Amino acid sequence: MLLGIFAACALGILLGGLRMTGQADQIADRTGLGEALVGGVLLGAATSLSGTIVSLTAAMDGRASLAFSNGIGGIAAQTAFLALADILHRKINLEHAAADLSNVFQGALLMLMLALPLFALTGPDVAIFGVHPVSILLVAIYVAGVIATRRIREEPMWRPVETRDTIPDEPEEESDKGPSTPWLFASFVALMLVMGAIGWVIAQIAETMTDRYDLSASVVGALMTAVVTSLPELVTTLAAVRRGALQLAVGGIIGGNTFDTLFLTISDVGYREGSLYHAIGPDDLYWLAVGLIMTAILTLGQLYRQREGPGGIGLESAAMLGVYAVAIALPLLAGGSA
């Protein structure tokens, strides 16, 4: 029954994420904010809501490892999803065609935000009303990053070189029969609430399975709840690529990953037994390092802008898939040898 409910939740997330992609693309066109910004902020936050609820619920129940690994593990999984999207986009390397300065900036911002939990862990165990200062700093950096991303789009100081393979972000012509803008936003918010409810159910299932089968909370968080709650990113990314909204696809992944770092802030607030960062173990830091490595590869790939690579995809996509595969295999092999 648990697995059946878990599968139903995964299906609900898939369908909701597919619907949200088209709505986000329309919102980007109507508001003039652009696909990279809407994908990185609005769509990224919306599709991450179920994962947010999972981390918050786990933290409030005193499960620091599950709360931490759920958010961090999702970053690695979602970055791997972008490599799968590159496989779908057969014409040219996705990172080349979707060149956008906002996405490069978001990638660098994400690496900064992933480094802060390491700083918190290695530093003294301090807290302000039970919340580590780094958790507060993560929110401040995220807000500043959103503002800076908007400014970069409006007044860029650097521009990617346009080639014959670059697909620009141009608004699509809409028919008069489309939904009104207020209705579009209302529908988007309704889907977000559904995602949040599904996230709560997934958290209950994960905690039950962890206790019943004596599973590692880090493994359950990084490879089960994180992957399932990241399915909207997979669906929205693949759907955006098929729609030709390439900046939305890349921006949705990077922006979603940036928003996912705020899982740590939310979890730290919900965890009442001290600093979240000093309650986790080496297994959780392992997935933090994996996410940081994959983000660095993705950011370098956007700067290098290779047209074609091995197997018709970018070298960075092949590297990201390789890193993620090795990251999954190493704990399993270590467990087997032990």
Side-chain angles (χ1 to χ4, degrees):
M1 182 178 293
L2 280 176
L3 292 176
I5 298 173
F6 197 75
C9 290
L11 179 60
I13 288 177
L14 276 170
L15 296 176
L18 184 61
R19 178 67 177 167
M20 294 175 90
T21 305
Q23 293 178 340
D25 196 11
Q26 288 181 300
I27 291 173
D29 293 341
R30 293 187 183 184
T31 59
L33 294 176
E35 292 174 359
L37 183 59
V38 170
V41 180
L42 183 62
L43 186 60
T47 54
S48 297
L49 186 58
S50 58
T52 305
I53 300 300
V54 171
S55 286
L56 176 60
T57 303
M60 293 177 66
D61 291 340
R63 301 173 183 268
S65 181
L66 179 59
F68 186 93
S69 60
N70 174 70
I72 296 302
I75 292 175
Q78 289 159 196
T79 307
F81 292 163
L82 193 58
L84 296 179
D86 194 6
I87 296 175
L88 178 65
H89 187 69
R90 301 306 303 163
K91 297 179 180 179
I92 203 72
N93 179 14
L94 179 62
E95 277 72 46
H96 177 94
D100 190 283
L101 184 59
S102 299
N103 288 333
V104 177
F105 178 80
Q106 287 274 321
L109 179 70
L110 177 56
M111 286 188 284
L112 170 62
M113 296 180 72
L114 286 175
L116 288 176
L118 291 174
F119 173 78
L121 175 69
T122 55
D125 186 357
V126 297
I128 302 174
F129 298 107
V131 179
H132 197 284
V134 161
S135 296
I136 301 172
L137 185 59
L138 283 172
V139 177
I141 291 176
Y142 179 78
V143 173
V146 171
I147 296 173
T149 302
R150 175 69 185 273
R151 180 178 178 182
I152 286 173
R153 175 173 174 80
E154 295 178 346
E155 301 176 3
M157 298 301 292
W158 297 90
R159 293 184 185 275
V161 175
E162 292 189 4
T163 69
R164 65 178 185 277
D165 299 309
T166 305
I167 300 179
D169 175 7
E170 296 179 348
E172 299 178 2
E173 294 184 3
E174 293 191 66
S175 64
D176 296 334
K177 297 181 180 180
S180 64
T181 300
W183 173 258
L184 193 62
F185 273 99
S187 176
F188 195 86
V189 171
L191 283 173
M192 285 182 62
L193 296 177
V194 172
M195 293 287 193
I198 292 176
W200 181 84
V201 175
I202 289 176
Q204 305 308 309
I205 295 173
E207 292 180 7
T208 302
M209 293 181 69
T210 300
D211 295 338
R212 182 176 298 179
Y213 301 109
D214 194 26
L215 300 174
S216 166
S218 178
V219 171
V220 171
L223 296 180
M224 290 184 63
T225 62
V227 173
V228 169
T229 56
S230 297
L231 287 178
E233 278 80 2
L234 174 60
V235 175
T236 55
T237 300
L238 297 181
V241 169
R242 291 187 64 87
R243 289 169 61 95
L246 303 186
Q247 286 83 5
L248 182 67
V250 178
I253 289 293
I254 301 176
N257 286 348
T258 305
F259 185 84
D260 282 3
T261 59
L262 300 185
F263 287 11
L264 304 183
T265 299
I266 296 170
S267 299
D268 197 15
V269 172
Y271 187 71
R272 295 289 80 199
E273 301 178 20
S275 167
L276 176 77
Y277 307 102
H278 291 84
I280 59 176
D283 291 343
D284 303 307
L285 289 179
Y286 173 79
W287 287 104
L288 177 62
V290 171
L292 190 54
I293 292 170
M294 294 179 70
T295 301
I297 293 173
L298 174 59
T299 304
L300 291 171
Q302 292 184 90
L303 292 171
Y304 187 63
R305 294 190 66 196
Q306 182 185 32
R307 279 188 169 86
E308 297 178 356
I313 63 175
L315 184 60
E316 73 281 351
S317 294
M320 289 187 296
L321 288 175
V323 168
Y324 191 60
V326 170
I328 294 175
L330 283 179
L332 298 178
L333 293 174
S337 61

